[in-house]
Amino acid sequence: MLLSVKNLKKSFITEEGTLQVLRGVDLELAAGERLALTGESGCGKSTLLYLIGALESFDAGEIWMDGVPLGPLNDRQRADLRRTSVGIVFQQFNLIPSMTVAHNLRFHARLAGREDADWINQLSQRLGLTKFLKAYPEQLSGGQQQRVAIGRTLAARPKLILADEPTGNLDEKTSDQVITLMLQLVEETGAGLLVVTHSSRLAERMDRSLLLTSGLVS
Amino acid sequence: MTLPIALRVLWSHWTYRPLQFFTLLVGLSLATGLWTGVQAINTEARSSYDQARAALLPQARQVLQRRDGQPIAVATYVALQQSGWRTSPVLEGKISIASTTINVTGVDLVSMPRSMNRWTSGENSFDLAGFLTDPYSVIVSADIAEQAATLPGVAKVIVGKNVPSATIMTDIGLAERLLNKSGQISRLIVAPQQPVLQTELQVAAPQLERINNQSAADIDRLTDSFHLNLSAFGMLAFAVGLFIVQGTINLAFEQRRTMCRTLRVLGVSLRSLALALLVELLLIAVIAGAAGVVLGYFIAALLLPDVAATLRGLYGAQVTGDLSFRAGWWVTGLAIAIAGTLLASFWSLQKLLRMPILAAAQPRAWALMTRRSTFYRMLASGGLLVIAVALLLWGSGLVVAFSIVAICLLAAALILPDAIAFLLGAFERFAIMPVSQWFWADTRQQLPGLSLALMALLLALAANIGVSTMVGSFRLTFAGWLDQRLAAELYVRAANEAQSIKLRDWLEGRADAVLPVWNVESSIEGEAGRIYGFSDHATYRNFWPMLEMLPDGWDDVASGRAVLINEQLARRHGVSPGDVIRLAENQDLPVAGIYSDYGNPRPQAMINVDLLTGWFPNVVKTRFAIRVDAARSQVLADEIRQKFGLKGRNLVDQASIKQRSLEIFERTFTVTQALNILTLTVAGFAIFTSLLTQSTMRLPQLAPIWALGLTRRQLAGLEFLRALLLAALTMIFALPLGLGLAWLLLSVVNVEAFGWRLPMFLFVSDWILLACYGLVATALAAAIPARRFSNTDPAELVKVFAHER
């Protein structure tokens, strides 16, 4: 199993007291599988995604990524995991504004030590980015920026791709185009895909879908 | 009605970001404080000069004195009065009471022109009879009132408002007694209005000459240079402080663009918004300005004693060293704070007010990085350099000299961000590793936010290099000059001419040479100066600090056919070797050479000693320089002391004079160096505040890199390294700029201020030390934001993706 989450719990301290966001989440994801995680705003979807992406630490439970438990990892080991095994596509793209599209596309792959020029060329062509390689992110539209973000993630060939509302900032047409491309490319890389989304259209295109309510997966 | 609401909303920014508010207040307070401090020093010193001017002598633009510098006899004074000359006698000297040296000025109030008697004008119930009759009433400065009361013959001590410090103004009768100079007159003041019919001076008193009293003007000129120097530093520190202010205000305005847009959408008029912003700025300026004035007072109180000592020691200008808090400082301090705030916020304010109501906020960095703004900066910088070159070629005067310095600094500061961006771009092209590529690109993107702080650092570093190079070069030149000028082992002043003759006879066979150091006050090219007589000796030919010399110049001077003059006289009158100058009213001699004469503002000339005694038969012949084997000089000095009873200043060895001269030299630059360090501190603070405020905006840029697999510690390390790198690059640019500044100070400002040009020496170890200080300061400034980022909770970083803060 590529990803295994068992009885995961996470709470936050707020001014009103402790807020229990995840109350014992269990889920599994196989390599090459595509999973949608849906739920209402504030239900903890993104939190779960960030915990799986080793961005945050959890209170209790277990997360196993490709046979490695995340719980005992220190800061450096978590960074190593993010660099080499996980790719994250954010709603707001989070490209590096100071670098050109070409550099952004290669950046994660080079960090992971897996730069493959042919693959990156192929990605930029299929994502329709060849015209913009010398442009800076700010000069691109939202859809173009999201395609760069997807390209950046795929270029590193991670085992697991986490996408947080990847079409949340895009119109329906652009959203469909971007998702179609992403699903094709993910399939080709054989990576597992976990998408957090509000969109039922997007969720329907996944292999399966889970609903997160009251801090539990149903 | 909308104004208070808009103001409250705008002000909420500062309560939400107290650190930014604190930064702004500290920046503005520092800028105002340094400016006010320097102005307070200048005001206090000038007030002391005014007191001195209000006294008697510097008022007198024309005086009569003996050609040989000896006291004038009372008979001569009487003869002049009978010949129709309206003059007033003055007797001056110093006395010591309980280790305090007091200047005694004796005057004859009856004959003194009223216009010069300002120091009694403040006394409503001035008792003229008491002043003129024994026991006397005397008018003194407050600092010596107690000592003056103990003097014999003094019945009443009146503290005069306009009396210079450490001075007693008294009737000439009492002055004679106090100074033990009975029947002597130091000089005669010539009344501005003279009778139409009067006998020629040459006939009435041939031993006297009329001198335009230039010393007051000289002091004015020198102290003006000193104060201009201080003002320039105050202005530099103020400018450096304003960089902090502008940086913070710019940032605050950018952060509040959305807020302003919302306010306008909700119905606040542009006028109300502008007014609210102005009111807010004024409030900040007043708070910071008030703090700055208080800070300025403490800075002034800290520096004034050194300034006073410098002015006393070097220029003879009396400054009390006490500081009184003046109401006017509040006005000027607050005015400069308000002006500085408005200046620093002008562009931001204008940009914000021009913003269309529905305009989206553009990322600031990118907007500032546009090629157009680079082009305009380059254009402005180029234009400023052209102006500087034009001023250098065709301008003159001290203000122009300082303007050139200011323009060059501003031009360099303007192109600094683009120059650094160019270098960073080059580094980026050569970077291979992805992190290094990101590092260079990201550093380039951070530049606009840090550029003002870097400009401030550039100015402070360049000023530091420039001033320390100038002071170091001056010190080396001065020390070398002292070695040349003070080549003799001992300097003697005999009690009188009889003792002088005995001493010279006694030294026959005991010393290698006895060289006269005889001089008279006389006119040189129409100015009051001093003419020295010297005998031809290898000491002069080998050691005298000549700047220019005709081939047979020494022979010509030795035979009385030529004269040597000092550099300041040559520069002031445009005299070169070979030109003829007029000495002692009617003697013309060609100039054989020009020598350096640091520390002396007045014209000076050297002629053969026989020529001097021929022109001035009554010249005082009591001073000598003695050449003797250095190993024997101390023994000989002891023998002279025993045999002739000469001590103190009457017998001084070379080392003592050099030590004293170097002490005065060092003290002269104490204040400059203190201001230098303060300016550097302000620049360090500018870096710190910029990094700190930027760090709050850095999370959105750093979080994605963290998410892609770099640790917080690695990123914090890179942030730290980035600050050091930018500081190091700024230092690289500061070095040539500082050396250019040093050249301007040595070759342009010094010539205008003092009349001498100095060679430039390079002090590499000083630069290394400064670079170390700069890097340590930057490291300290960068450590806090870096550490803060390193300790940022991952939950905070994740918020960047969740909320896109």
Side-chain angles (χ1 to χ4, degrees), chain B residues 166-200:
Chain B
T167 301
I168 296 178
M169 309 294 297
T170 181
D171 182 73
I172 196 164
L174 178 59
E176 282 183 340
R177 270 159 48 190
L178 293 173
L179 297 168
N180 200 19
K181 289 183 177 177
S182 184
Q184 297 182 15
I185 295 168
S186 302
R187 57 186 92 187
L188 293 165
I189 298 169
V190 180
Q193 281 87 39
Q194 294 288 324
V196 180
L197 295 172
Q198 61 179 187
T199 315
E200 290 257 328

Side-chain angles (χ1 to χ4, degrees), chain A residues 10 12 46 50 53-57 75-80 82-84 86 88 90-92 94-99 103 106-108 110-111 136 138-139 152-153 164, chain B residues 362-363 366-367 428 431-435 437-438 441-445 700-701 703-714 793-795 798-804:
Chain A
K10 176 72 178 175
F12 294 105
S46 294
Y50 299 146
L55 293 172
E56 274 197 88
S57 55
D75 206 35
R76 175 169 285 281
Q77 289 163 329
R78 284 168 170 273
D80 286 345
R82 290 197 301 272
R83 198 165 60 240
T84 56
V86 184
I88 308 175
F90 298 101
Q91 181 180 351
Q92 299 286 351
N94 289 110
L95 298 174
I96 300 164
S98 52
M99 293 169 78
H103 281 120
R106 294 160 61 203
F107 189 66
H108 194 182
R110 299 186 70 199
L111 275 181
Y136 284 87
E138 196 172 68
Q139 295 165 303
R152 177 177 72 182
T153 303
D164 185 8
Chain B
Q362 292 296 312
W366 195 251
E428 190 186 343
I432 297 166
M433 303 304 288
V435 176
Q437 245 174 9
W438 166 77
D442 191 59
T443 306
R444 201 150 48 90
Q445 201 199 16
Q701 283 129 43
I705 309 296
W706 168 75
L708 290 175
L710 264 71
T711 61
R712 285 167 294 166
R713 206 171 161 173
Q714 284 172 324
D793 192 333
V798 163
K799 279 182 190 167
V800 170
F801 312 123
H803 304 142
E804 190 57 20

Side-chain angles (χ1 to χ4, degrees), chain B residues 8 25 56 88 90 191 286 331 357 467 505 529 650 735 765 773 798:
Chain B
R8 199 177 303 161
L25 286 188
L56 185 68
S88 183
V90 176
V286 168
V331 179
I357 193 164
V467 170
D505 290 344
N650 289 335
L735 184 60
S765 58
Y773 283 145
V798 163

Side-chain angles (χ1 to χ4, degrees), chain B residues 550-573:
Chain B
L550 292 178
D552 298 320
W554 280 113
D555 294 335
D556 289 343
V557 178
S559 59
R561 295 193 302 271
V563 60
L564 300 177
I565 61 169
N566 65 357
E567 184 186 1
Q568 32 279 58
L569 172 63
R571 286 192 187 278
R572 204 178 301 169
H573 292 276

Side-chain angles (χ1 to χ4, degrees), chain A residues 14-35:
Chain A
T14 65
E15 284 177 5
E16 287 80 28
T18 305
L19 178 67
Q20 195 75 38
V21 179
L22 302 177
R23 297 168 185 271
V25 171
D26 294 293
L27 70 81
E28 289 193 330
L29 181 74
E33 191 184 8
R34 299 174 304 183
L35 174 65

Side-chain angles (χ1 to χ4, degrees), chain A residues 67-211:
Chain A
V68 178
L70 264 57
L73 298 186
N74 63 24
D75 206 35
R76 175 169 285 281
Q77 289 163 329
R78 284 168 170 273
D80 286 345
L81 186 91
R82 290 197 301 272
R83 198 165 60 240
T84 56
S85 302
V86 184
I88 308 175
V89 179
F90 298 101
Q91 181 180 351
Q92 299 286 351
F93 330 128
N94 289 110
L95 298 174
I96 300 164
S98 52
M99 293 169 78
T100 60
V101 168
H103 281 120
N104 265 288
L105 278 173
R106 294 160 61 203
F107 189 66
H108 194 182
R110 299 186 70 199
L111 275 181
R114 283 200 288 266
E115 187 183 10
D116 179 345
D118 290 341
W119 171 233
I120 294 170
N121 275 341
Q122 199 186 330
L123 279 174
S124 58
Q125 276 174 15
R126 292 178 63 182
L127 289 164
L129 296 170
T130 44
K131 280 193 291 185
F132 308 111
L133 290 176
K134 288 184 178 171
Y136 284 87
E138 196 172 68
Q139 295 165 303
L140 304 183
S141 70
Q144 287 163 342
Q145 288 192 52
Q146 191 58 299
R147 276 187 270 165
V148 178
I150 292 167
R152 177 177 72 182
T153 303
L154 289 166
R157 291 185 186 278
K159 289 174 185 164
L160 175 64
I161 295 172
L162 304 171
D164 185 8
E165 301 280 7
T167 56
N169 269 345
L170 306 178
D171 60 66
E172 207 168 273
K173 188 181 165 195
T174 312
S175 169
D176 282 345
Q177 288 172 353
V178 167
I179 289 301
T180 303
L181 264 171
M182 185 170 82
L183 292 178
Q184 279 174 8
L185 290 165
V186 167
E187 195 174 347
E188 286 171 29
T189 59
L193 173 67
L194 174 58
V195 177
V196 163
T197 183
H198 273 114
S199 163
S200 52
R201 283 164 62 91
L202 174 56
E204 282 166 10
R205 298 182 67 176
M206 299 293 129
D207 297 333
R208 62 191 171 101
S209 178
L210 294 174
L211 179 67

